Amino acid sequence: MRTDFAEQHQFVTLNGSGTPVFSRWSYVARDPYAVTLAFRTARGNWIEWCFARDLLVGGLSEPTGLGDVRVRPDLAFEHEVLVIELESPDGYAVVEIRRADVERFVVASHEVVPVGGESGFVDVDAFIAQITGV
């Protein structure tokens, strides 16, 4: 059993549409500060959004995020639904997902890399070599 990643699949509501969209959450130890949320398109390709795991965790209990990704509980559904707003130059999307699904994914990511332990999974020297071309 591999313990260096967490992945979860589920259907989500996108832009209030009645047709669910297949999505995939992923988290890998080699990029311990980030989570990826991907949506499968009609042609079988994936559109991916990568953002801070802390943003996702914070958004479970209160509105979080000021930029391209914002996460908040949907108060209309008594915290049963989490709303994720995604914005880019190419468009805007509102994702509605069951809060319990997100909580389960967050717990799985914490089993891979505990909160506060992220720095132990980052190879700073390799990163510096990569960006400087050394």
Side-chain angles (χ1 to χ4, degrees), residues 19 40 42 50 79 98 101 105 107 111 116 127 129:
T19 304
R40 197 165 98 195
C50 186
H79 298 287
R98 287 188 314 253
D101 290 341
F105 173 74
V107 167
E111 290 172 359
F127 177 70

Side-chain angles (χ1 to χ4, degrees), residues 25 35-37 51-62 64 69 71-72 82 84 97 102-103 105-106 109:
W25 285 103
V35 296
T36 301
L37 175 58
F51 54 94
R53 177 171 69 166
D54 288 348
L55 182 68
L56 184 63
V57 172
L60 287 168
S61 58
E62 63 184 6
T64 308
V69 179
V71 183
R72 63 179 167 79
L82 194 69
I84 303 171
I97 186 170
V102 176
E103 288 173 335
F105 173 74
V106 166
S109 78

Side-chain angles (χ1 to χ4, degrees), residues 21-96:
V21 175
F22 191 61
S23 70
R24 175 187 68 216
W25 285 103
S26 56
Y27 177 81
V28 293
R30 70 178 180 276
D31 191 4
Y33 293 101
V35 296
T36 301
L37 175 58
F39 306 99
R40 197 165 98 195
T41 67
R43 298 183 188 265
N45 296 319
W46 292 88
I47 297 171
E48 295 185 337
W49 283 82
C50 186
F51 54 94
R53 177 171 69 166
D54 288 348
L55 182 68
L56 184 63
V57 172
L60 287 168
S61 58
E62 63 184 6
T64 308
L66 299 173
D68 297 340
V69 179
R70 294 174 299 280
V71 183
R72 63 179 167 79
D74 189 335
L75 301 177
F77 292 98
E78 299 180 13
H79 298 287
E80 292 178 16
V81 174
L82 194 69
V83 176
I84 303 171
E85 296 176 83
L86 306 168
E87 190 170 356
S88 79
D90 295 326
Y92 173 82
V94 176
V95 180
E96 294 177 343

